[in-house]
Amino acid sequence: MTYIENIFLCMVSPLLVAALCMGRRQLRFFLFCIAGMGVCLLSAYINTFLAAVCQADALAATVEIAPVVEEVMKLLPLAFYLLVFEPEGERIKPAAITVALAFATFENVCYLIQNGADRFSFIFFRGFGTGAMHVLCGLIVGGGLAYAWQRTWLKVAGTCGLLGAAITLHATYNLLIAYGGAAQYIAYALPVLLIAVGKPSVSRSVRRE
């Protein structure tokens, strides 16, 4: 986590300037971007702390700790948005995707700083795979929350179920990455394929409605 705070400041600073220049209509987008990067930074601290407390090895930290911490942290800005501002359903999904996208972007940048960018093909696949995985989790949580939070009786159970689904997907992705070899590249391709296949289906169902 060397210099991770400096990376955060360098990435957030232009977003803050842009937020001031773009006006209130675009403010929400930039705030969710900053929130996504902020919870990514906090997740790194919490992951490290829990791994040390539990004396977890690298595999356990990657598969058991990181997915839970990161998905819970990504949910927090959305929960605040839902509880305080009570947005309309169509605004929830874009917010979730923006948080997830900013989280993935900051995570990828930190990975490049710590591990270098000399292997283009590996970095290319990892960038797409990790980004797609976080966005897919955001789609699951955001789309589900847009439905669940319109029904009072479903809010708590629906949120917990969606969080569990995102954690399971994230843990499966991390497990395949940790296994290495061909499984690693399957993990990179899987979320991209799921988004590519699922997007037309969702669009058709929306048009029917």
Side-chain angles (χ1 to χ4, degrees):
M1 295 197 324
T2 308
Y3 306 126
I4 190 171
E5 302 88 352
N6 295 343
I7 299 170
F8 176 76
L9 289 174
C10 287
M11 294 185 69
V12 166
S13 297
L15 291 176
L16 288 172
V17 174
L20 294 174
C21 296
M22 295 296 289
R24 291 187 59 185
R25 295 190 64 181
Q26 303 298 327
L27 181 62
R28 188 185 302 110
F29 170 79
F30 291 104
L31 290 179
F32 280 122
C33 282
I34 294 169
M37 293 182 184
V39 295
C40 185
L41 176 65
L42 292 176
S43 296
Y45 292 138
I46 296 171
N47 286 336
T48 303
F49 173 75
L50 291 178
V53 169
C54 300
Q55 297 183 342
D57 58 18
L59 180 61
T62 300
V63 177
E64 299 174 14
I65 295 175
V68 177
V69 171
E70 293 180 8
E71 294 306 324
V72 169
M73 293 301 292
K74 285 191 290 185
L75 180 63
L76 293 181
L78 296 175
F80 178 83
Y81 182 51
L82 290 167
L83 291 170
V84 175
F85 296 99
E86 299 181 349
E88 298 175 358
E90 63 269 15
R91 292 187 175 183
I92 299 173
K93 184 176 171 182
I97 294 173
T98 303
V99 171
L101 181 63
F103 190 105
T105 300
F106 187 74
E107 186 178 77
N108 278 337
V109 170
C110 291
Y111 180 88
L112 290 175
I113 296 296
Q114 293 176 338
N115 298 280
D118 52 331
R119 294 188 296 164
F120 172 78
S121 60
F122 175 76
I123 294 299
F124 176 83
F125 285 113
R126 188 192 185 280
F128 268 97
T130 301
M133 183 274 295
H134 281 294
V135 169
L136 182 58
C137 290
L139 284 167
I140 293 170
V141 173
L145 288 177
Y147 176 85
W149 277 69
Q150 295 177 7
R151 295 155 179 81
T152 304
W153 60 273
L154 193 57
K155 285 183 179 181
V156 175
T159 301
C160 292
L162 292 165
L163 180 61
I167 290 172
T168 301
L169 174 64
H170 195 152
T172 302
Y173 176 86
N174 283 6
L175 179 61
L176 292 172
I177 295 295
Y179 189 81
Q184 188 175 25
Y185 288 94
I186 291 172
Y188 293 145
L190 186 60
V192 177
L193 293 174
L194 288 174
I195 291 175
V197 171
K199 180 62 176 175
S201 301
V202 173
S203 300
R204 284 196 297 270
S205 65
V206 170
R207 283 197 297 267
R208 288 195 200 102
E209 293 174 1

